[in-house]
Amino acid sequence: MDTYDVIVLGAGPVGENLADRAHAAGLSAVVVESELVGGECSYWACMPSKALLRPVIARADARRTPGLREAVAGPLDAPAVLAHRDAFASHWKDEGQARWLDSVGIDLVRGHGRLDGPRRVTVTTPDGQRRTLTARHAVAVCTGSRAALPDLPGLADAKPWTSREATSAAAVPGRLAVVGGGVVAVEMATAWRALGSAVTLLVRGDGLLPRMEPFAGRLVADALTEAGADLRFGTSVTEVRRADPAGPVTLTLADGATVEADEVLFATGRAPRTDDLGLETVGLTPGTWLEVDDTCQVQDVPGGWLYAVGDSNHRALLTHQGKYQARIAGAVIAARAQGLPLLETDPWGAHVATADRAGAPQVVFTDPEVAAVGLTAAEAERAGHRIRVIDHDLAQVAGASLYVDGYRGQARLIVDEDRGHVIGATFAGPAVGELLHSATLAVVAEIPIERLWHAVPAYPTVSEVWLRLLESYRG
């Protein structure tokens, strides 16, 4: 069958979810994939990176726990950690994911798909054949993003790591240089340093995690330094050389200094995978982020049949937000296909991805963890909110002091004083990722501060920080 209600380009978590939602609403769906079913998250991002980091964090917690620290005094078993990672990446095979698509009645076409005018997709299959698919209602671009590399002399020949190589490397490099200060940079610096690499982190700015509250980056920087990583701020790379493909790589810095490493990871941003999708056939520019409205419908395409969901629309480059958008867009496509005259497009309605802008959660799986949702104080002020910032030392919470000896962390709430509810929250410290969903509920549900006072946290847990924050707010 070459005609479907919905054609989805990309079989990552986003494409899978959109196709599933459309199919559940009674529409026929096909997914086109040129690599592995399951996408970046399953094989080169979320799953393998967290599989690398989980033993690192568990050991760090154990070393701060009486009765355990002596038992975990030695190094990590690197081959065992890498084997654990390989298992969670399904050994880079996608039979299980492909079987799931088949089990729910969604067709899969393997090959490279390109738009070929309105509602048409031409697929070049692995054997070189061409197949044309036609959509009755919608085509959804769910092709994600790729690592963006700077234009530096010698970089291409030096064969640098990107996030893909950093999460799938088969051996621990003796020396690893990491260029960047964002999430990928700090997570991979944490993982490979704990596995035995001598890590040098080269950061252009003056701190880590620049899009989060400043205290989060400071705590992570302190921990990396204590772990033995060499952090250099206010520096940039001007040239990269690897004279011998099997030898070390040399980085020249802006001040003329050099850094030699066995591998170099460039974690310097993302770019959309839209450069070879045939966007020019529908009046769009190849290689660009696709601008969408809150229903994920691409703007400036006549007929309203094209959607961009997940990283390709640049709203929130997070797997869980892409899956959220997919659920929204799937419902939108089904509603429009069924001819519903009105969609629920008010904020937080069934057909808009409001959480992308107001309540997107994120966890950085470093030691310490960082968890945040909503707006930072700086973002809230720039948006014109009249806010109050409430901070609390997480180490002063009984549950935190029980969790590990020498607990270090901080919590912050951003309260909109005019609307009387939380619009942002950030936690930094061991195990704070498990605090995040309560904060997400507070932000998304716009729970009044006065009602939160009646949400009693259990004693003695780390979540009791909510009580301490609210006490500070009430005075």
Side-chain angles (χ1 to χ4, degrees), residues 7-72:
I7 300 171
V8 179
L9 295 176
V14 175
E16 290 175 328
N17 272 263
L18 191 149
D20 184 49
R21 289 297 83 210
H23 183 265
L27 303 181
S28 62
V30 61
V31 177
V32 180
E33 177 54 57
S34 61
E35 290 189 290
L36 297 177
V37 177
E40 197 82 9
C41 177
S42 297
Y43 307 103
W44 300 288
C46 313
M47 296 306 288
S49 67
K50 277 53 188 182
L52 286 173
L53 285 159
R54 179 59 198 143
V56 174
I57 303 306
R59 183 182 68 159
D61 287 347
R63 283 181 165 180
R64 295 189 288 260
T65 303
L68 275 178
R69 58 173 60 97
E70 294 78 9
V72 293

Short mmCIF file of all heavy atoms in Angstrom, two decimals, residues 7-72:
data_model
loop_
_atom_site.label_atom_id
_atom_site.label_comp_id
_atom_site.label_asym_id
_atom_site.label_seq_id
_atom_site.Cartn_x
_atom_site.Cartn_y
_atom_site.Cartn_z
N ILE A 7 1.96 10.02 6.89
CA ILE A 7 3.32 9.56 6.64
C ILE A 7 4.23 10.24 7.65
O ILE A 7 4.18 11.46 7.81
CB ILE A 7 3.80 9.91 5.21
CG1 ILE A 7 2.89 9.27 4.17
CG2 ILE A 7 5.24 9.46 5.01
CD1 ILE A 7 3.17 9.74 2.75
N VAL A 8 5.04 9.44 8.32
CA VAL A 8 5.96 9.97 9.34
C VAL A 8 7.38 9.75 8.87
O VAL A 8 7.79 8.61 8.58
CB VAL A 8 5.73 9.28 10.70
CG1 VAL A 8 6.72 9.82 11.74
CG2 VAL A 8 4.30 9.47 11.17
N LEU A 9 8.16 10.82 8.79
CA LEU A 9 9.58 10.72 8.44
C LEU A 9 10.38 10.66 9.72
O LEU A 9 10.50 11.64 10.45
CB LEU A 9 10.00 11.93 7.60
CG LEU A 9 9.34 12.08 6.23
CD1 LEU A 9 9.78 13.37 5.56
CD2 LEU A 9 9.68 10.88 5.34
N GLY A 10 10.94 9.49 10.02
CA GLY A 10 11.74 9.32 11.22
C GLY A 10 11.08 8.38 12.21
O GLY A 10 9.95 8.62 12.63
N ALA A 11 11.79 7.30 12.59
CA ALA A 11 11.23 6.28 13.48
C ALA A 11 11.87 6.32 14.86
O ALA A 11 12.01 5.30 15.51
CB ALA A 11 11.40 4.89 12.87
N GLY A 12 12.25 7.51 15.31
CA GLY A 12 12.67 7.65 16.69
C GLY A 12 11.47 7.67 17.61
O GLY A 12 10.33 7.44 17.18
N PRO A 13 11.68 7.94 18.90
CA PRO A 13 10.55 7.97 19.84
C PRO A 13 9.45 8.93 19.42
O PRO A 13 8.27 8.67 19.65
CB PRO A 13 11.21 8.40 21.16
CG PRO A 13 12.64 8.03 21.02
CD PRO A 13 12.97 8.18 19.57
N VAL A 14 9.84 10.05 18.81
CA VAL A 14 8.85 11.04 18.39
C VAL A 14 7.98 10.48 17.26
O VAL A 14 6.75 10.51 17.32
CB VAL A 14 9.56 12.33 17.96
CG1 VAL A 14 8.55 13.34 17.40
CG2 VAL A 14 10.32 12.93 19.13
N GLY A 15 8.64 9.97 16.22
CA GLY A 15 7.87 9.41 15.11
C GLY A 15 7.02 8.23 15.52
O GLY A 15 5.87 8.09 15.08
N GLU A 16 7.57 7.38 16.38
CA GLU A 16 6.80 6.23 16.86
C GLU A 16 5.55 6.68 17.60
O GLU A 16 4.46 6.13 17.40
CB GLU A 16 7.67 5.38 17.79
CG GLU A 16 8.79 4.62 17.11
CD GLU A 16 9.68 3.90 18.09
OE1 GLU A 16 9.86 4.40 19.23
OE2 GLU A 16 10.20 2.83 17.74
N ASN A 17 5.69 7.67 18.46
CA ASN A 17 4.54 8.13 19.24
C ASN A 17 3.50 8.80 18.37
O ASN A 17 2.29 8.60 18.56
CB ASN A 17 5.00 9.09 20.34
CG ASN A 17 5.38 8.38 21.62
OD1 ASN A 17 4.60 8.28 22.55
ND2 ASN A 17 6.60 7.85 21.65
N LEU A 18 3.93 9.61 17.40
CA LEU A 18 2.95 10.27 16.54
C LEU A 18 2.18 9.24 15.72
O LEU A 18 0.94 9.31 15.63
CB LEU A 18 3.65 11.27 15.63
CG LEU A 18 2.70 12.21 14.86
CD1 LEU A 18 3.36 13.56 14.63
CD2 LEU A 18 2.27 11.62 13.52
N ALA A 19 2.91 8.30 15.13
CA ALA A 19 2.24 7.27 14.35
C ALA A 19 1.27 6.46 15.21
O ALA A 19 0.16 6.12 14.78
CB ALA A 19 3.27 6.35 13.70
N ASP A 20 1.67 6.16 16.44
CA ASP A 20 0.82 5.39 17.35
C ASP A 20 -0.45 6.14 17.69
O ASP A 20 -1.54 5.57 17.70
CB ASP A 20 1.61 5.06 18.61
CG ASP A 20 0.82 4.19 19.57
OD1 ASP A 20 0.27 3.17 19.12
OD2 ASP A 20 0.76 4.53 20.76
N ARG A 21 -0.34 7.45 17.97
CA ARG A 21 -1.52 8.24 18.31
C ARG A 21 -2.45 8.37 17.11
O ARG A 21 -3.69 8.32 17.26
CB ARG A 21 -1.10 9.63 18.79
CG ARG A 21 -0.46 9.68 20.16
CD ARG A 21 -1.41 9.22 21.27
NE ARG A 21 -1.45 7.77 21.42
CZ ARG A 21 -2.49 7.09 21.84
NH1 ARG A 21 -3.61 7.70 22.14
NH2 ARG A 21 -2.44 5.78 21.96
N ALA A 22 -1.88 8.57 15.93
CA ALA A 22 -2.72 8.65 14.73
C ALA A 22 -3.42 7.32 14.47
O ALA A 22 -4.63 7.28 14.16
CB ALA A 22 -1.87 9.06 13.53
N HIS A 23 -2.67 6.22 14.60
CA HIS A 23 -3.26 4.90 14.37
C HIS A 23 -4.34 4.59 15.39
O HIS A 23 -5.38 4.01 15.07
CB HIS A 23 -2.16 3.84 14.41
CG HIS A 23 -2.65 2.47 14.10
ND1 HIS A 23 -3.01 1.57 15.10
CD2 HIS A 23 -2.86 1.83 12.92
CE1 HIS A 23 -3.41 0.45 14.54
NE2 HIS A 23 -3.32 0.57 13.22
N ALA A 24 -4.09 4.98 16.66
CA ALA A 24 -5.10 4.74 17.70
C ALA A 24 -6.39 5.49 17.43
O ALA A 24 -7.46 5.07 17.89
CB ALA A 24 -4.53 5.15 19.07
N ALA A 25 -6.30 6.58 16.68
CA ALA A 25 -7.50 7.36 16.34
C ALA A 25 -8.17 6.85 15.07
O ALA A 25 -9.12 7.46 14.58
CB ALA A 25 -7.12 8.82 16.17
N GLY A 26 -7.65 5.74 14.51
CA GLY A 26 -8.29 5.13 13.35
C GLY A 26 -7.67 5.49 12.02
O GLY A 26 -8.23 5.13 10.97
N LEU A 27 -6.53 6.16 12.02
CA LEU A 27 -5.88 6.53 10.78
C LEU A 27 -4.80 5.51 10.42
O LEU A 27 -4.17 4.93 11.30
CB LEU A 27 -5.24 7.92 10.90
CG LEU A 27 -6.17 9.08 11.30
CD1 LEU A 27 -5.38 10.38 11.36
CD2 LEU A 27 -7.35 9.19 10.35
N SER A 28 -4.59 5.32 9.14
CA SER A 28 -3.48 4.45 8.71
C SER A 28 -2.19 5.27 8.72
O SER A 28 -2.19 6.46 8.42
CB SER A 28 -3.74 3.89 7.31
OG SER A 28 -3.84 4.94 6.36
N ALA A 29 -1.09 4.61 9.09
CA ALA A 29 0.17 5.33 9.25
C ALA A 29 1.33 4.48 8.76
O ALA A 29 1.34 3.25 8.91
CB ALA A 29 0.38 5.73 10.71
N VAL A 30 2.33 5.16 8.19
CA VAL A 30 3.57 4.52 7.79
C VAL A 30 4.72 5.37 8.30
O VAL A 30 4.64 6.59 8.32
CB VAL A 30 3.66 4.36 6.25
CG1 VAL A 30 3.62 5.71 5.55
CG2 VAL A 30 4.92 3.59 5.86
N VAL A 31 5.78 4.71 8.73
CA VAL A 31 6.98 5.39 9.21
C VAL A 31 8.13 5.07 8.26
O VAL A 31 8.33 3.90 7.90
CB VAL A 31 7.34 4.95 10.65
CG1 VAL A 31 8.62 5.62 11.11
CG2 VAL A 31 6.20 5.28 11.61
N VAL A 32 8.88 6.11 7.88
CA VAL A 32 10.03 5.95 7.00
C VAL A 32 11.29 6.19 7.82
O VAL A 32 11.40 7.22 8.50
CB VAL A 32 9.97 6.94 5.82
CG1 VAL A 32 11.18 6.78 4.92
CG2 VAL A 32 8.67 6.77 5.04
N GLU A 33 12.24 5.26 7.77
CA GLU A 33 13.45 5.39 8.58
C GLU A 33 14.68 4.96 7.77
O GLU A 33 14.69 3.88 7.18
CB GLU A 33 13.35 4.55 9.84
CG GLU A 33 14.59 4.56 10.72
CD GLU A 33 15.05 5.96 11.11
OE1 GLU A 33 14.23 6.70 11.69
OE2 GLU A 33 16.21 6.29 10.80
N SER A 34 15.71 5.81 7.79
CA SER A 34 16.94 5.52 7.05
C SER A 34 18.02 4.86 7.90
O SER A 34 18.99 4.33 7.36
CB SER A 34 17.50 6.81 6.44
OG SER A 34 17.82 7.74 7.47
N GLU A 35 17.86 4.90 9.22
CA GLU A 35 18.85 4.28 10.10
C GLU A 35 18.19 3.19 10.95
O GLU A 35 17.62 2.26 10.40
CB GLU A 35 19.54 5.34 10.98
CG GLU A 35 20.46 6.26 10.18
CD GLU A 35 21.29 7.14 11.08
OE1 GLU A 35 20.72 8.07 11.72
OE2 GLU A 35 22.51 6.91 11.17
N LEU A 36 18.24 3.34 12.28
CA LEU A 36 17.69 2.34 13.18
C LEU A 36 16.34 2.79 13.73
O LEU A 36 16.19 3.94 14.16
CB LEU A 36 18.65 2.08 14.34
CG LEU A 36 20.01 1.49 13.98
CD1 LEU A 36 20.87 1.37 15.24
CD2 LEU A 36 19.87 0.14 13.29
N VAL A 37 15.38 1.89 13.73
CA VAL A 37 14.10 2.17 14.36
C VAL A 37 14.34 2.33 15.86
O VAL A 37 14.93 1.46 16.50
CB VAL A 37 13.10 1.03 14.10
CG1 VAL A 37 11.78 1.30 14.81
CG2 VAL A 37 12.88 0.85 12.59
N GLY A 38 13.91 3.42 16.41
CA GLY A 38 14.20 3.76 17.80
C GLY A 38 14.96 5.07 17.91
O GLY A 38 14.91 5.74 18.93
N GLY A 39 15.68 5.42 16.84
CA GLY A 39 16.25 6.75 16.74
C GLY A 39 17.43 7.06 17.65
O GLY A 39 17.98 6.19 18.33
N GLU A 40 17.82 8.32 17.64
CA GLU A 40 19.00 8.80 18.36
C GLU A 40 18.95 8.45 19.84
O GLU A 40 19.94 8.01 20.43
CB GLU A 40 19.11 10.31 18.18
CG GLU A 40 20.47 10.89 18.51
CD GLU A 40 21.45 10.75 17.37
OE1 GLU A 40 21.04 10.36 16.26
OE2 GLU A 40 22.64 11.05 17.59
N CYS A 41 17.79 8.64 20.46
CA CYS A 41 17.66 8.43 21.90
C CYS A 41 18.00 7.00 22.30
O CYS A 41 18.69 6.77 23.29
CB CYS A 41 16.25 8.77 22.34
SG CYS A 41 15.93 8.46 24.09
N SER A 42 17.56 6.05 21.51
CA SER A 42 17.73 4.65 21.88
C SER A 42 19.16 4.15 21.73
O SER A 42 19.59 3.27 22.48
CB SER A 42 16.81 3.77 21.03
OG SER A 42 15.45 4.08 21.26
N TYR A 43 19.91 4.72 20.78
CA TYR A 43 21.20 4.13 20.43
C TYR A 43 22.41 5.04 20.67
O TYR A 43 23.52 4.55 20.83
CB TYR A 43 21.18 3.69 18.96
CG TYR A 43 20.02 2.80 18.64
CD1 TYR A 43 18.90 3.28 17.96
CD2 TYR A 43 20.00 1.47 19.04
CE1 TYR A 43 17.81 2.47 17.68
CE2 TYR A 43 18.93 0.64 18.77
CZ TYR A 43 17.83 1.14 18.09
OH TYR A 43 16.75 0.34 17.83
N TRP A 44 22.21 6.36 20.66
CA TRP A 44 23.36 7.27 20.75
C TRP A 44 23.13 8.45 21.70
O TRP A 44 23.92 9.40 21.68
CB TRP A 44 23.69 7.81 19.35
CG TRP A 44 24.03 6.75 18.37
CD1 TRP A 44 25.18 6.01 18.33
CD2 TRP A 44 23.22 6.30 17.27
NE1 TRP A 44 25.13 5.12 17.28
CE2 TRP A 44 23.95 5.27 16.62
CE3 TRP A 44 21.97 6.66 16.78
CZ2 TRP A 44 23.45 4.61 15.50
CZ3 TRP A 44 21.47 6.00 15.68
CH2 TRP A 44 22.21 4.99 15.05
N ALA A 45 22.08 8.41 22.48
CA ALA A 45 21.82 9.58 23.34
C ALA A 45 21.30 9.12 24.70
O ALA A 45 22.05 8.61 25.51
CB ALA A 45 20.85 10.55 22.64
N CYS A 46 20.01 9.30 24.94
CA CYS A 46 19.44 9.12 26.28
C CYS A 46 19.80 7.77 26.92
O CYS A 46 20.34 7.73 28.03
CB CYS A 46 17.92 9.23 26.23
SG CYS A 46 17.31 10.64 25.30
N MET A 47 19.50 6.68 26.24
CA MET A 47 19.67 5.37 26.86
C MET A 47 21.14 5.00 27.08
O MET A 47 21.53 4.65 28.20
CB MET A 47 18.93 4.30 26.06
CG MET A 47 17.42 4.50 26.04
SD MET A 47 16.70 4.66 27.71
CE MET A 47 16.87 2.97 28.27
N PRO A 48 22.00 5.04 26.06
CA PRO A 48 23.39 4.66 26.33
C PRO A 48 24.11 5.62 27.27
O PRO A 48 24.94 5.20 28.08
CB PRO A 48 24.03 4.64 24.94
CG PRO A 48 23.15 5.49 24.09
CD PRO A 48 21.77 5.30 24.63
N SER A 49 23.80 6.92 27.19
CA SER A 49 24.49 7.87 28.08
C SER A 49 24.11 7.62 29.53
O SER A 49 24.96 7.65 30.43
CB SER A 49 24.20 9.31 27.67
OG SER A 49 22.85 9.65 27.87
N LYS A 50 22.83 7.36 29.77
CA LYS A 50 22.41 7.12 31.16
C LYS A 50 22.87 5.75 31.65
O LYS A 50 23.12 5.56 32.85
CB LYS A 50 20.89 7.27 31.29
CG LYS A 50 20.44 8.71 31.45
CD LYS A 50 20.99 9.59 30.36
CE LYS A 50 20.79 11.05 30.49
NZ LYS A 50 21.33 11.79 29.33
N ALA A 51 23.01 4.79 30.74
CA ALA A 51 23.58 3.50 31.13
C ALA A 51 25.04 3.66 31.53
O ALA A 51 25.52 2.98 32.45
CB ALA A 51 23.44 2.49 30.00
N LEU A 52 25.77 4.55 30.87
CA LEU A 52 27.14 4.84 31.28
C LEU A 52 27.18 5.54 32.63
O LEU A 52 28.05 5.28 33.47
CB LEU A 52 27.83 5.73 30.24
CG LEU A 52 28.25 5.10 28.92
CD1 LEU A 52 28.75 6.19 27.96
CD2 LEU A 52 29.34 4.05 29.12
N LEU A 53 26.24 6.44 32.85
CA LEU A 53 26.28 7.29 34.04
C LEU A 53 25.72 6.62 35.29
O LEU A 53 26.12 6.96 36.41
CB LEU A 53 25.51 8.59 33.78
CG LEU A 53 26.24 9.59 32.89
CD1 LEU A 53 25.26 10.57 32.26
CD2 LEU A 53 27.28 10.35 33.70
N ARG A 54 24.81 5.67 35.14
CA ARG A 54 24.18 5.08 36.32
C ARG A 54 25.20 4.45 37.27
O ARG A 54 25.16 4.71 38.49
CB ARG A 54 23.11 4.06 35.91
CG ARG A 54 22.43 3.39 37.08
CD ARG A 54 21.75 4.41 37.99
NE ARG A 54 21.46 3.85 39.30
CZ ARG A 54 21.56 4.50 40.44
NH1 ARG A 54 21.94 5.77 40.45
NH2 ARG A 54 21.28 3.93 41.58
N PRO A 55 26.16 3.63 36.81
CA PRO A 55 27.16 3.09 37.75
C PRO A 55 28.02 4.18 38.37
O PRO A 55 28.44 4.06 39.53
CB PRO A 55 28.00 2.16 36.87
CG PRO A 55 27.13 1.81 35.71
CD PRO A 55 26.31 3.04 35.46
N VAL A 56 28.27 5.24 37.62
CA VAL A 56 29.07 6.36 38.13
C VAL A 56 28.37 7.01 39.31
O VAL A 56 28.97 7.25 40.38
CB VAL A 56 29.31 7.38 37.01
CG1 VAL A 56 30.01 8.63 37.56
CG2 VAL A 56 30.11 6.76 35.88
N ILE A 57 27.08 7.28 39.16
CA ILE A 57 26.32 7.96 40.21
C ILE A 57 26.12 7.03 41.41
O ILE A 57 26.22 7.46 42.57
CB ILE A 57 24.97 8.45 39.67
CG1 ILE A 57 25.17 9.37 38.46
CG2 ILE A 57 24.18 9.15 40.76
CD1 ILE A 57 26.09 10.54 38.69
N ALA A 58 25.84 5.76 41.13
CA ALA A 58 25.64 4.82 42.23
C ALA A 58 26.91 4.70 43.08
O ALA A 58 26.85 4.66 44.32
CB ALA A 58 25.24 3.44 41.68
N ARG A 59 28.07 4.63 42.42
CA ARG A 59 29.33 4.55 43.17
C ARG A 59 29.56 5.84 43.96
O ARG A 59 30.01 5.79 45.12
CB ARG A 59 30.51 4.29 42.23
CG ARG A 59 31.83 4.14 43.00
CD ARG A 59 33.01 3.94 42.08
NE ARG A 59 33.33 5.11 41.29
CZ ARG A 59 34.51 5.34 40.72
NH1 ARG A 59 35.49 4.45 40.86
NH2 ARG A 59 34.71 6.40 39.98
N ALA A 60 29.27 6.99 43.36
CA ALA A 60 29.48 8.25 44.06
C ALA A 60 28.63 8.32 45.32
O ALA A 60 29.10 8.74 46.39
CB ALA A 60 29.15 9.42 43.13
N ASP A 61 27.38 7.88 45.22
CA ASP A 61 26.51 7.86 46.41
C ASP A 61 27.03 6.86 47.44
O ASP A 61 27.04 7.14 48.65
CB ASP A 61 25.08 7.50 46.01
CG ASP A 61 24.37 8.64 45.29
OD1 ASP A 61 24.87 9.78 45.32
OD2 ASP A 61 23.30 8.39 44.69
N ALA A 62 27.45 5.68 46.98
CA ALA A 62 27.94 4.66 47.91
C ALA A 62 29.18 5.15 48.65
O ALA A 62 29.36 4.87 49.85
CB ALA A 62 28.24 3.37 47.16
N ARG A 63 30.04 5.88 47.97
CA ARG A 63 31.26 6.38 48.61
C ARG A 63 30.97 7.42 49.68
O ARG A 63 31.83 7.71 50.50
CB ARG A 63 32.19 6.98 47.55
CG ARG A 63 32.93 5.92 46.72
CD ARG A 63 33.85 6.56 45.70
NE ARG A 63 34.80 5.59 45.18
CZ ARG A 63 35.72 5.87 44.26
NH1 ARG A 63 35.79 7.10 43.75
NH2 ARG A 63 36.56 4.94 43.86
N ARG A 64 29.76 7.97 49.67
CA ARG A 64 29.38 8.95 50.69
C ARG A 64 28.43 8.35 51.72
O ARG A 64 27.79 9.09 52.48
CB ARG A 64 28.74 10.18 50.02
CG ARG A 64 29.71 10.96 49.14
CD ARG A 64 29.11 12.27 48.67
NE ARG A 64 28.09 12.09 47.67
CZ ARG A 64 28.26 12.25 46.35
NH1 ARG A 64 29.46 12.59 45.88
NH2 ARG A 64 27.27 12.09 45.51
N THR A 65 28.34 7.01 51.73
CA THR A 65 27.41 6.34 52.63
C THR A 65 28.18 5.46 53.63
O THR A 65 28.93 4.57 53.21
CB THR A 65 26.42 5.46 51.83
OG1 THR A 65 25.73 6.27 50.88
CG2 THR A 65 25.42 4.80 52.77
N PRO A 66 28.03 5.70 54.93
CA PRO A 66 28.74 4.89 55.92
C PRO A 66 28.41 3.40 55.75
O PRO A 66 27.26 3.03 55.52
CB PRO A 66 28.21 5.42 57.26
CG PRO A 66 27.78 6.82 56.96
CD PRO A 66 27.24 6.79 55.57
N GLY A 67 29.44 2.58 55.86
CA GLY A 67 29.26 1.14 55.71
C GLY A 67 29.41 0.65 54.29
O GLY A 67 29.52 -0.56 54.05
N LEU A 68 29.39 1.59 53.33
CA LEU A 68 29.54 1.21 51.93
C LEU A 68 30.82 1.75 51.30
O LEU A 68 31.35 1.15 50.37
CB LEU A 68 28.34 1.73 51.10
CG LEU A 68 27.08 0.89 51.06
CD1 LEU A 68 26.01 1.60 50.25
CD2 LEU A 68 27.37 -0.49 50.45
N ARG A 69 31.30 2.89 51.83
CA ARG A 69 32.40 3.55 51.13
C ARG A 69 33.63 2.67 50.99
O ARG A 69 34.30 2.69 49.96
CB ARG A 69 32.75 4.87 51.81
CG ARG A 69 33.14 4.79 53.27
CD ARG A 69 33.63 6.17 53.76
NE ARG A 69 32.60 7.18 53.62
CZ ARG A 69 31.79 7.58 54.60
NH1 ARG A 69 31.89 7.01 55.79
NH2 ARG A 69 30.90 8.51 54.40
N GLU A 70 33.90 1.85 52.00
CA GLU A 70 35.07 0.98 51.92
C GLU A 70 34.88 -0.10 50.85
O GLU A 70 35.83 -0.53 50.20
CB GLU A 70 35.36 0.33 53.26
CG GLU A 70 35.78 1.30 54.36
CD GLU A 70 34.59 2.05 54.96
OE1 GLU A 70 33.43 1.69 54.64
OE2 GLU A 70 34.83 2.99 55.75
N ALA A 71 33.64 -0.55 50.67
CA ALA A 71 33.36 -1.63 49.73
C ALA A 71 33.47 -1.18 48.27
O ALA A 71 33.61 -2.01 47.37
CB ALA A 71 31.96 -2.20 49.98
N VAL A 72 33.41 0.14 48.04
CA VAL A 72 33.45 0.63 46.66
C VAL A 72 34.65 1.56 46.46
O VAL A 72 34.61 2.48 45.66
CB VAL A 72 32.15 1.36 46.28
CG1 VAL A 72 30.99 0.37 46.22
CG2 VAL A 72 31.85 2.49 47.26
#
